[in-house]
């Protein structure tokens, strides 16, 4: 029987083989395999846990090997695997004949031991189980608190143990293991979810009701388009105009993640130790709102074990930067590559890891440092230079990746107030577009490649002429043209139209050029 544990590092991590040899000599425990302090201390925890669980600790000299030997082992998740490997080796040495017909050849074991023999949960169990399953290991023993997390890996048979004695008993009784979740057509539907146009949404919440937003029909329209196609959005306006309030209701328009999307999100949150025991598989799209003081490391990720940062925690979800201009310029510029590639590479001490970072960026900011620029009846105290420097923090390349730009004002008309749409109405439009995109290309429109844009965003002669004229007049970059095409494709999908019309292109271009003081960012 081969016992494996897991060394967490970044998104991938590594499987570690735990081997034990009992030999003659002065009783002692030797641990080899480039172990850190927490792993070395497992010798004492393991010794006490074995004795307090009613077992006899071997009187021989115990050699524990963690391989590969050149990989640094970190964390307390090795305790249970080491203890069971010692008990298994002792059982074999006490038998006159070799055990026949072992229940399984390979097994993954993770858990931290208390001195009493109870098992504590550890982080990264979902990632460990997924890595083990891909390596052909389909049995695992984890703590009872991590059981549901491990069962989310399809095909993995799990035993959730609360004590060392239970885990040792299960080591030779495969009938005690329960199979992981079978993600069939009906079993993957979470509770308290509703179908809208054959697309799953979370149950509606009064706190996320869009009918409460009065007089901001253009912002609500932009948020609906953003939810339908996954496009990035920037809302700017004076303090108190409602831009933050509207964006905070954005999760109500997002469909639940598919099972495939949820697996990678769950793995990231498991690595970060943020997975809720009541929600072992994250079906809701993440909505992260970091503070303005966030550092580059906090956004990208890092640390001893290369933990995920905010952009990876926003994978398949939304990263919302409120008061975006108050973030450090280096933090804002760091977003450019992950937005384009959908992943981020972290390196530390000669090792590197790649986290998925397929996130949707939403930003809200004031038009100037004092917030009164362009507001009727108020005086802006900022100089032209300070306004220019304020918008320069975003930079042209970053703004070029934002397809939806909305200038939000305080003044509203009675007509706009009376026609506020409900969340239920907006969801129907979003669901229609999402269903079309999943059927047509299997992903959101914002992720269309240049070849797919040619295939799915074809234009008639009139539409080509209109876009060419706008490209010349507005001095669009090639990325801006692609953004307008993808935005127009989303608007057409929301209406159920097969082809992009001039009306769709006009609306897409109108959101692209709704720049206001953005022009300051391009002045140099």
């Amino acid at each position: 029987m081969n016992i494996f544990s897991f060394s967490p590092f970044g998104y991938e991590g590594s499987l570690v083989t735990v081997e034990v040899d009992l030999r003659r000599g002065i009783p002692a425990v030797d641990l080899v395999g480039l172990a850190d302090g927490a792993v070395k201390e497992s010798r004492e925890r393991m010794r006490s846990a074995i004795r307090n669980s009613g077992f006899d600790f071997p009187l021989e000299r115990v050699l524990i090997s963690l391989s590969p030997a050149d990989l640094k082992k970190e964390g307390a998740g090795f305790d249970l695997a080491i203890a069971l490997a010692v008990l298994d080796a002792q059982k074999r040495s006490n038998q006159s004949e070799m055990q026949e017909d072992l229940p399984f050849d390979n097994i993954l074991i993770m858990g931290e031991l208390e001195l009493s023999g109870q098992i504590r949960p550890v982080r990264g169990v979902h990632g460990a189980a997924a890595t083990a399953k891909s390596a052909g290991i389909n049995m695992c023993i984890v703590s009872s608190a991590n059981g549901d997390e491990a069962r989310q890996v399809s095909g993995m048979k799990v035993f959730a143990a609360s004590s060392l004695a239970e885990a040792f008993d299960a080591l030779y009784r495969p009938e005690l293991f329960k199979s992981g979740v079978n993600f069939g057509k009906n079993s993957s539907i979470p509770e308290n979810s509703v179908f809208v146009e054959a697309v799953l949404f979370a149950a509606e919440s009064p706190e996320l009701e869009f009918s409460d937003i009065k007089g901001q029909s253009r912002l609500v329209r932009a948020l609906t388009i953003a939810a339908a196609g996954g496009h990035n959005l920037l809302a700017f306006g004076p303090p108190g105009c409602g831009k933050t309030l509207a964006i905070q209701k954005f999760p109500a328009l997002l469909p639940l993640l598919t099972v495939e999307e949820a697996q990678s999100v769950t793995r990231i949150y498991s690595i970060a130790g943020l997975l809720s025991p009541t929600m072992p598989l994250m079906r809701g799209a993440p909505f992260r709102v970091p503070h303005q003081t966030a550092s580059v490391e906090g956004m990208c990720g890092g640390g001893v074990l290369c933990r995920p940062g905010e952009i990876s925690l926003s994978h398949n979800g939304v990263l919302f930067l409120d008061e975006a201009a108050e973030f450090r310029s280096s933090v804002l510029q760091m977003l450019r590559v992950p937005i384009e590639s959908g992943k981020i590479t972290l390196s530390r001490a000669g090792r590197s890891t790649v986290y998925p970072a397929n996130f949707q960026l939403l930003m809200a900011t004031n038009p100037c440092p004092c917030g009164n620029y362009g507001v009727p009846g108020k005086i802006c105290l900022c100089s032209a230079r300070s306004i220019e420097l304020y918008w320069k923090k975003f930079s042209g390349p970053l703004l070029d990746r934002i397809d939806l730009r909305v200038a939000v004002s305080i003044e509203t008309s009675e007509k706009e107030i009376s026609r506020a749409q409900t969340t239920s109405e907006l969801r129907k439009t979003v669901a229609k577009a999402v269903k079309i995109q999943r059927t047509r290309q299997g992903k959101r429109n914002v992720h269309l490649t240049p070849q797919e844009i040619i295939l799915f965003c074809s234009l008639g002669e009139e539409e080509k002429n209109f876009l060419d004229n706008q490209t010349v007049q507005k001095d669009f970059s090639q990325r801006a043209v692609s953004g307008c095409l993808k935005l127009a494709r989303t608007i057409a999908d929301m209406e159920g139209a097969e082809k992009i019309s001039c009306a769709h292109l006009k609306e897409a271009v109108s959101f692209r050029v709704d720049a206001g003081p953005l022009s300051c960012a391009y002045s140099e």
Side-chain angles (χ1 to χ4, degrees):
M1 179 190 299
N2 297 318
I3 294 178
F4 293 86
S5 192
F6 185 75
S7 177
F9 182 86
Y11 184 71
E12 300 86 1
S14 303
L15 289 175
V16 175
T17 305
V18 181
E19 299 174 291
V20 172
D21 180 52
L22 304 181
R23 48 188 176 157
R24 293 182 180 179
I26 299 174
V29 179
D30 299 319
L31 181 62
V32 298
L34 204 60
D36 74 341
V39 180
K40 290 178 180 178
E41 291 172 354
S42 67
R43 294 178 297 184
E44 305 306 321
R45 291 192 297 271
M46 173 265 301
R47 190 197 302 267
S48 296
I50 288 177
R51 288 175 174 170
N52 292 332
S53 297
F55 300 104
D56 294 326
F57 194 81
L59 297 178
E60 296 91 346
R61 194 173 187 89
V62 180
L63 174 62
I64 303 170
S65 174
L66 306 178
S67 58
D70 59 346
L71 177 69
K72 188 173 183 179
K73 320 302 186 304
E74 299 171 305
F78 293 90
D79 289 8
L80 183 59
I82 291 174
L84 291 179
V86 170
L87 292 175
D88 179 65
Q90 183 182 33
K91 181 177 181 178
R92 293 174 184 278
S93 66
N94 292 336
Q95 291 176 338
S96 57
E97 297 181 0
M98 291 297 293
Q99 183 180 0
E100 298 180 359
D101 299 327
L102 294 176
F104 29 76
D105 296 329
N106 302 313
I107 186 170
L108 171 72
I109 301 174
M110 286 189 72
E112 178 184 346
L113 286 175
E114 297 180 0
L115 299 184
S116 62
Q118 297 298 303
I119 303 174
R120 296 173 58 87
V122 294
R123 67 173 68 186
V125 168
H126 184 277
T131 301
K133 189 68 178 69
S134 63
I137 303 171
N138 58 4
M139 310 285 283
C140 75
I141 298 177
V142 296
S143 74
S144 55
N146 291 133
D148 289 339
E149 183 179 343
R151 292 189 187 98
Q152 301 307 313
V153 179
S154 183
M156 179 63 72
K157 296 182 179 180
V158 182
F159 180 78
S162 59
S163 66
L164 177 61
E166 289 182 7
F168 183 67
D169 182 49
L171 199 59
Y172 305 99
R173 298 176 62 188
E175 67 274 9
L176 297 178
F177 288 72
K178 294 182 179 180
S179 299
V181 177
N182 180 21
F183 295 109
K185 184 175 181 181
N186 297 321
S187 61
S188 61
I189 300 176
E191 296 181 1
N192 299 325
S193 59
V194 294
F195 275 104
V196 181
E197 300 284 341
V199 176
L200 268 178
F201 287 85
E204 292 188 22
S205 171
E207 293 80 12
L208 302 180
E209 178 53 57
F210 269 87
S211 60
D212 297 337
I213 303 173
K214 307 296 184 181
Q216 300 296 351
S217 58
R218 183 164 176 80
L219 177 57
V220 172
R221 172 66 174 174
L223 290 172
T224 307
I225 297 172
H231 304 281
N232 302 321
L233 176 143
L234 170 64
F236 55 94
C241 65
K243 54 187 184 295
T244 300
L245 174 65
I247 295 177
Q248 286 176 339
K249 296 179 182 290
F250 186 71
L253 301 181
L254 295 174
L256 294 182
L257 301 177
T258 63
V259 172
E260 293 75 15
E261 293 170 338
Q263 288 289 344
S264 57
V265 174
T266 301
R267 180 167 183 162
I268 292 171
Y269 275 72
S270 173
I271 293 168
L274 300 176
L275 199 60
S276 171
T278 60
M279 190 180 297
L281 184 67
M282 291 191 59
R283 293 298 300 273
F287 188 82
R288 303 292 299 182
V289 189
H291 193 263
Q292 294 86 354
T293 58
S295 64
V296 173
E297 291 76 14
M299 297 292 285
C300 291
V304 176
L305 299 178
C306 279
R307 301 292 186 201
E310 289 293 336
I311 62 173
S312 293
L313 293 172
S314 304
H315 176 59
N316 286 335
V318 176
L319 178 65
F320 174 36
L321 304 185
D322 195 13
E323 301 297 341
E326 302 301 327
F327 283 80
R328 301 176 190 177
S329 180
S330 58
V331 170
L332 295 175
Q333 302 315 312
M334 173 274 305
L335 298 173
R336 288 157 53 180
V337 173
I339 287 175
E340 202 75 22
S341 63
K343 59 184 178 181
I344 184 168
T345 302
L346 305 178
S347 299
R348 177 187 173 272
R351 298 180 65 186
S352 62
T353 183
V354 179
Y355 275 105
N358 187 13
F359 63 95
Q360 182 177 0
L361 178 64
L362 303 183
M363 296 192 294
T365 188
N366 294 331
C368 68
C370 76
N372 293 330
Y373 180 79
V375 181
K378 293 189 178 182
I379 300 175
C380 177
L381 302 178
C382 306
S383 65
R385 180 61 178 167
S386 65
I387 296 176
E388 181 180 349
L389 292 175
Y390 183 80
W391 284 97
K392 282 282 188 181
K393 293 186 70 174
F394 293 99
S395 83
L398 175 61
L399 293 174
D400 208 26
R401 291 166 167 83
I402 299 175
D403 298 329
L404 291 162
R405 307 167 184 181
V406 187
V408 186
S409 62
I410 296 179
E411 295 183 349
T412 57
S413 64
E414 293 293 333
K415 183 179 179 181
E416 285 188 328
I417 293 176
S418 63
R419 66 182 183 187
Q421 290 183 287
T422 65
T423 299
S424 179
E425 293 172 339
L426 298 175
R427 279 184 171 184
K428 292 179 181 179
T429 307
V430 173
K432 183 186 295 184
V434 170
K435 181 181 178 182
I436 291 173
Q437 292 166 45
R438 287 177 177 175
T439 303
R440 185 178 58 219
Q441 71 247 5
K443 57 184 176 182
R444 312 293 283 279
N445 284 335
V446 73
H447 302 304
L448 292 176
T449 64
Q451 294 77 14
E452 290 171 333
I453 291 176
I454 296 174
L455 182 61
F456 301 126
C457 303
S458 58
L459 302 178
E461 194 64 32
E462 182 182 357
E463 289 76 19
K464 285 182 181 179
N465 293 334
F466 172 80
L467 185 58
D468 290 342
N469 291 335
Q470 292 296 314
T471 300
V472 174
Q473 292 177 14
K474 311 299 183 183
D475 194 22
F476 283 161
S477 66
Q478 188 57 50
R479 181 182 285 114
V481 174
S482 299
C484 286
L485 285 171
K486 290 186 283 188
L487 201 59
R489 180 67 269 173
T490 299
I491 296 171
D493 291 341
M494 292 167 66
E495 297 178 2
E498 184 177 348
K499 292 186 177 181
I500 298 174
S501 67
C502 278
H504 303 144
L505 282 171
K506 287 178 181 178
E507 186 175 8
V509 171
S510 71
F511 279 113
R512 185 83 192 185
V513 300
D514 192 358
L518 285 174
S519 56
C520 297
Y522 298 100
S523 60
E524 293 184 7

